[in-house]
Amino acid sequence: MVKSRILIFTMLLLPALCSAQAQITFHFNNVQADSIFIKAMKSDTAIVTLWSAPFAKELTYKSKTPLAPGIYWVFSESSIIDAFLISSNKNQTFTANIDTITSYAGSPENDRYHQYIYEIQNFDRRLAHLDEEYQEAQQRMPQYMLKVLADTLTTKAHKIKAEKALYQRQMVQENPGTLMASVIAANIEMPNPPQELYNNRPELMKYVLQHFFDDFPWNDPRIFNTPIGINKIKEYAQLVFSCNNPDLDSYVLETVNKSKVNEESYYAFFDGLEKNIGYHGSQYRVERLYIAMLKDMLKQPKLSDLRKRHCNYELGVIDKNHAGNIAPDFQIVTDKGDTTSLHKIQSEYM
């Protein structure tokens, strides 16, 4: 009887013990602040505060529910103190020792991520030093010597960028399945275009559209829970708008097809592009490309009824408002209470 009670008690207790939760302890060294905040991205535009506390040298954030995968920031009143990654609902109990070089106990991923950031900063400092060298030379060198120096520094910069990309790809390979690997992959710069393309804008734009997402982690939709994934879409939309060449639309649609390796990634990428090149109020709207995207989505075999209705509605609206066509008539009530319609208005063009 006693054994049965113990067994029943253990079975009841086990779910509580196994339930996921977050507990993150922060040790602040060389930090002065009045308050500490943990912030996260709630949508593709909003950064929200999850937690705040008066400053102390040691603070612990606790939550009965796990943090969603993504990037989280530790803020003081006016600046970012640190950032950490959450890859999954597991292993959300760790300690952050925030100092000149931050370390994490209990979270190997975050420990490696901060080491990675330190190495990337070294690459960036080397590149910045080349810029400083050229700017200094401009003040003391004749033009013919500057050209030789510029070529030399450009070669050095390409070498440093290649080393940086190689290091990033190694980190991706060494940390499979982590959000860190996806964050790093999304930040790898595309290879420099061949020099001969700089005098041929259509070919240069074609190259950039083809290679903009070369290393992007399409198979990990968690990347769209971070500003990195969202900003990448915005940058791409601006690029598409600046090209605005029907001959290059196929390369954009090719990128859309690449995103289909993961359904969540596809929908997140589509929604992000739609907000930038599809919505009527967007300064980057490219209607013909938006139409092609909508028609392509309607061909997807497992499309929800909600998305079908949305696509058909958008296509219907666009069909009534093509540029250069006569706008559909609609009723208008004047400020005097009279009723008329758009087509009955006689006035000069504006």
Side-chain angles (χ1 to χ4, degrees):
M1 185 67 176
V2 174
K3 289 183 178 179
S4 298
R5 288 178 179 175
I6 293 173
L7 180 60
I8 292 171
F9 177 76
T10 304
M11 291 176 67
L12 291 172
L13 183 62
L14 189 59
L17 293 174
C18 295
S19 61
Q21 61 179 3
Q23 180 171 314
I24 306 169
T25 300
F26 300 95
H27 293 285
F28 297 101
N29 302 306
N30 301 319
V31 174
Q32 296 296 326
D34 292 329
S35 299
I36 296 296
F37 307 86
I38 293 181
K39 300 189 178 186
M41 192 176 78
K42 184 177 180 181
S43 66
D44 62 355
T45 55
I47 302 295
V48 298
T49 298
L50 300 181
W51 176 78
S52 64
F55 176 78
K57 288 293 184 180
E58 180 178 314
L59 290 172
T60 299
Y61 165 79
K62 291 183 179 181
S63 174
K64 293 181 179 179
T65 57
L67 294 171
I71 297 178
Y72 294 81
W73 298 273
V74 182
F75 271 80
S76 66
E77 296 83 358
S78 59
S79 61
I80 298 176
I81 296 174
D82 192 45
F84 60 90
L85 304 174
I86 295 293
S87 276
S88 71
N89 290 340
K90 300 177 181 179
N91 302 324
Q92 293 194 8
T93 300
F94 52 85
T95 299
N97 296 296
I98 299 176
D99 208 331
T100 307
I101 298 178
T102 298
S103 62
Y104 280 78
S107 178
E109 177 181 6
N110 277 299
D111 213 32
R112 288 192 296 266
Y113 182 58
H114 281 73
Q115 292 171 14
Y116 160 81
I117 291 174
Y118 179 77
E119 293 297 331
I120 290 299
Q121 288 173 343
N122 285 336
F123 283 113
D124 292 341
R125 275 192 286 268
R126 289 167 61 191
L127 290 169
H129 179 71
L130 296 180
D131 287 336
E132 292 168 3
E133 184 177 344
Y134 183 74
Q135 290 173 11
E136 182 184 335
Q138 282 182 308
Q139 300 176 8
R140 56 183 176 79
M141 279 189 178
Q143 195 63 37
Y144 74 93
M145 293 180 66
L146 275 176
K147 176 65 171 64
V148 176
L149 178 63
D151 291 342
T152 301
L153 294 179
T154 298
T155 300
K156 289 182 178 179
H158 287 171
K159 183 178 179 181
I160 293 172
K161 288 181 178 180
E163 292 173 359
K164 177 181 175 181
L166 178 61
Y167 169 70
Q168 288 174 306
R169 292 191 175 95
Q170 287 175 342
M171 290 295 289
V172 171
Q173 291 176 358
E174 291 171 4
N175 299 277
T178 62
L179 179 59
M180 178 182 74
S182 295
V183 167
I184 294 172
N187 275 312
I188 297 176
E189 294 182 24
M190 66 178 173
N192 289 309
Q195 193 64 37
E196 61 270 17
L197 295 186
Y198 286 96
N199 295 322
N200 187 333
R201 179 173 170 77
E203 287 300 313
L204 179 61
M205 292 297 98
K206 174 183 171 181
Y207 178 92
V208 175
L209 288 172
Q210 282 183 305
H211 295 280
F212 193 82
F213 284 98
D214 270 3
D215 291 278
F216 196 77
W218 294 114
N219 60 346
D220 187 357
R222 293 175 299 182
I223 196 66
F224 295 107
N225 294 334
T226 74
I228 296 164
I230 299 303
N231 289 337
K232 193 88 172 178
I233 296 176
K234 290 180 180 178
E235 290 173 13
Y236 191 66
Q238 293 170 16
L239 175 65
V240 170
F241 177 79
S242 68
C243 298
N244 204 5
N245 185 343
D247 295 335
L248 300 178
D249 286 357
S250 60
Y251 299 105
V252 180
L253 295 174
E254 183 180 313
T255 300
V256 173
N257 280 329
K258 288 179 180 177
S259 73
K260 294 175 185 175
V261 69
N262 181 285
E263 187 177 65
E264 287 184 58
S265 291
Y266 168 54
Y267 290 143
F269 185 59
F270 181 96
D271 292 345
L273 271 187
E274 181 180 52
K275 288 179 181 178
N276 287 278
I277 69 171
Y279 282 1
H280 299 278
S282 173
Q283 60 181 317
Y284 305 116
R285 181 174 169 85
V286 183
E287 187 173 274
R288 67 173 188 281
L289 190 53
Y290 182 43
I291 291 171
M293 288 170 54
L294 290 167
K295 290 181 176 179
D296 178 66
M297 177 167 275
L298 284 170
K299 295 177 184 177
Q300 302 312 305
K302 297 181 180 179
L303 197 64
S304 68
D305 289 339
L306 181 62
R307 283 194 176 271
K308 285 179 184 177
R309 289 196 298 271
H310 172 72
C311 291
N312 284 318
Y313 172 80
E314 287 294 318
L315 287 170
V317 171
I318 292 170
D319 194 48
K320 294 178 181 178
N321 294 282
H322 282 301
N325 290 359
I326 296 175
D329 199 17
F330 55 85
Q331 296 297 309
I332 297 171
V333 178
T334 69
D335 56 358
K336 296 179 180 179
D338 299 327
T339 301
T340 183
S341 71
L342 177 67
H343 288 182
K344 290 179 181 178
I345 294 175
Q346 301 295 320
S347 66
E348 295 296 324
Y349 287 110
M350 296 179 66

